[in-house]
């Protein structure tokens, strides 16, 4: 009995040490990602990007963003939303732990519920733009009929990692498609006439200089009846709030969307308010439709 108790105590102590270490790592990460240290990180990121551009002329910040994270994943590092490893797990001496299928399945459910509230049905054709490691894509793939899901991203590394966490035989039975974003792929996606184009947690990583390209690609894939559902960090004024994070004001978003065509109709709705006193909701949903369909019978749920 005594031995059992001391084993239990050791387990509790070791668990609480792990929790403390994770909390500390997260605090340090948040400080340099979005907290008081982010400007220093941004300076380092910008210098690295400029140096990287010398070897990759014509490449964008988004290419750099994706390439640098993919490089980190290849070296065994973890990321908050990308790859198949648990964020900040592991130590200097050990690799981060891999997600189990069950652990992965509880991620991204909030975005999936949002997709259904906007009217997603199993027979719809759906594009997941900036699908990453299928945090949300896994739920879309399960829900949709075979062949209706197309995941697009800047590099294949993220969705390849996500595929390893899908339930057995899902790839065979649901036949989801995946592609690296380029003009030919955008053109090909447009003739699939998607009902929905989702872009979750992507726009916040797109810098102002690449906003038009981002919307041009999404709008370029839209059929007359498509709905594009895009989440972003909304602020009173557009501003960089992290090394690789930008908040946007409504006007800048609407202006960039309108530059892609005047036949478009947009609405912006809050997802949630971080604190009661905040004047603007931080995460918002931008919905884009073609004007000719905006007065049709498509049901748009209020989120
Ligand atoms: C934070 S992850 C989100 C992934 C996924 N949507 C999710 O919710 O888990 C951001 C993703 O957007 C992709 N991305 C970044 N900039 C992009 C751009 N300009 N166009 C398309 N995808 C982009 C990245 O490669 C990455 O996979």
């Amino acid at each position: 009995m005594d031995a059992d108790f001391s084993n239990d105590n050791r387990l509790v102590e070791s668990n609480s040490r792990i929790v403390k270490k994770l909390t500390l790592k997260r605090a340090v990460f948040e400080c340099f990602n979005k907290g008081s240290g982010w400007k220093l990180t941004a300076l380092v990121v910008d210098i690295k990007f400029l140096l990287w551009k010398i070897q990759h002329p014509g490449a964008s910040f988004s290419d750099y963003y994706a390439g640098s994270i993919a490089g980190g994943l290849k070296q065994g590092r973890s990321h908050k939303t990308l790859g198949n490893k648990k964020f900040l797990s592991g130590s200097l001496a050990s690799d981060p732990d891999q997600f189990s299928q069950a652990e992965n399945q509880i991620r991204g459910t909030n975005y999936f519920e949002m997709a259904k509230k906007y009217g997603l049905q199993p027979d719809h054709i759906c594009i997941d733009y900036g699908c990453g490691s299928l945090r949300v894509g896994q739920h879309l793939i399960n829900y949709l009929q075979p062949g209706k899901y197309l995941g697009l991203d800047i590099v294949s590394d993220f969705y390849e990692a996500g595929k390893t966490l899908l339930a057995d035989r899902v790839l065979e039975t649901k036949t989801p498609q995946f592609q690296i974003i380029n003009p030919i792929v955008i053109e090909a996606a447009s003739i699939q006439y998607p009902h929905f184009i989702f872009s979750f947690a992507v726009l916040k990583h797109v810098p102002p200089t690449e906003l038009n390209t981002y919307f041009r690609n999404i709008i370029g894939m839209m059929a007359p009846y498509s709905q594009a559902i895009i989440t972003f960090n909304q602020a009173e004024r557009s501003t960089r709030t992290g090394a690789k994070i930008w908040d946007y004001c409504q006007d800048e978003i609407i202006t960039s969307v309108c530059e892609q065509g005047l036949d478009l109709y947009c609405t912006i709705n809050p997802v949630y308010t971080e604190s009661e006193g905040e004047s603007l909701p931080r995460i918002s949903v931008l919905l884009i439709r073609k004007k000719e369909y905006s007065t049709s019978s498509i049901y748009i749920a209020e989120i």
Side-chain angles (χ1 to χ4, degrees):
M1 254 330 231
D2 283 353
D4 278 354
F5 272 129
S6 84
N7 278 347
D8 283 355
N9 282 342
R10 271 204 295 275
L11 197 66
V12 170
E13 265 173 36
S14 120
N15 278 346
S16 92
R17 260 203 309 274
I18 291 171
V19 169
K20 271 190 200 145
K21 220 152 68 182
L22 267 178
T23 314
L24 182 67
K25 275 186 182 177
R26 191 170 280 274
V28 172
F29 170 82
E30 290 303 345
C31 169
F32 285 100
N33 187 45
K34 287 190 287 190
S36 54
W38 79 262
K39 286 190 178 158
L40 185 64
T41 320
L43 182 68
V44 174
V45 166
D46 289 351
I47 292 170
K48 279 183 164 176
F49 173 51
L50 286 177
L51 294 174
W52 183 83
K53 279 272 279 184
I54 297 170
Q55 284 171 326
H56 303 86
S60 63
F61 181 86
S62 300
D63 295 323
Y64 169 73
Y65 165 88
S68 58
I69 296 171
L73 296 182
K74 277 196 190 109
Q75 287 167 17
R77 287 206 286 271
S78 62
H79 182 270
K80 216 170 173 180
T81 52
L82 299 167
N84 52 16
K85 302 220 168 88
K86 290 183 203 167
F87 185 50
L88 298 180
S89 63
S91 66
L92 281 179
S94 67
D95 276 349
D97 309 327
Q98 182 141 349
F99 277 114
S100 67
Q101 279 180 5
E103 285 166 333
N104 191 47
Q105 277 163 10
I106 53 177
R107 304 167 78 212
T109 49
N110 47 355
Y111 287 112
F112 173 56
E113 290 307 319
M114 181 194 295
K116 286 194 291 182
K117 279 190 188 151
Y118 273 98
L120 180 70
Q121 296 292 321
D123 61 335
H124 283 161
I125 294 167
C126 170
I127 295 176
D128 189 1
Y129 189 77
C131 61
S133 297
L134 313 180
R135 188 173 59 133
V136 190
Q138 58 176 331
H139 305 295
L140 297 171
I141 292 167
N142 277 336
Y143 177 76
L144 293 168
Q145 290 171 359
K148 305 279 186 182
Y149 174 90
L150 172 61
L152 300 179
D153 210 305
I154 296 178
V155 291
S156 59
D157 305 56
F158 304 147
Y159 55 71
E160 290 301 338
K163 282 185 197 175
T164 66
L165 294 173
L166 295 178
D168 296 346
R169 297 197 34 79
V170 163
L171 289 173
E172 290 96 316
T173 55
K174 292 290 189 168
T175 56
Q177 304 298 307
F178 301 93
Q179 296 281 349
I180 296 176
I181 297 164
N182 65 46
I184 295 167
V185 162
I186 296 295
E187 175 73 30
S190 76
I191 52 174
Q192 293 201 18
Y193 303 106
H195 295 86
F196 280 95
I197 300 166
F198 295 111
S199 193
F200 293 129
V202 179
L203 177 48
K204 66 178 180 177
H205 298 299
V206 178
T209 48
E210 293 170 23
L211 214 48
N212 283 351
T213 312
Y214 173 80
F215 284 122
R216 191 180 315 126
N217 282 348
I218 289 183
I219 291 161
M221 294 186 290
M222 286 176 70
Y225 48 78
S226 300
Q227 299 187 72
I229 309 288
I230 298 164
T231 59
F232 70 104
N233 290 0
Q234 191 177 359
E236 202 83 58
R237 277 185 302 120
S238 295
T239 168
R240 189 175 185 174
T241 56
K244 298 174 187 169
I245 304 173
W246 284 267
D247 289 8
Y248 285 105
C249 70
Q250 180 167 311
D251 284 356
E252 186 160 2
I253 294 286
I254 304 284
T255 304
S256 185
V257 170
C258 288
E259 275 184 31
Q260 314 315 317
L262 293 174
D263 59 336
L264 301 164
Y265 168 90
C266 298
T267 61
I268 292 178
N269 279 309
V271 175
Y272 70 85
T273 311
E274 253 178 358
S275 72
E276 289 293 320
E278 212 171 33
S279 59
L280 270 181
R282 192 160 151 73
I283 299 183
S284 292
V285 184
L286 166 69
L287 164 78
I288 311 175
R289 283 183 288 160
K290 301 259 179 177
K291 267 191 185 147
E292 61 206 275
Y293 266 74
S294 63
T295 51
S296 78
S297 57
I298 294 175
Y299 171 67
I300 306 292
E302 278 300 319
I303 299 281

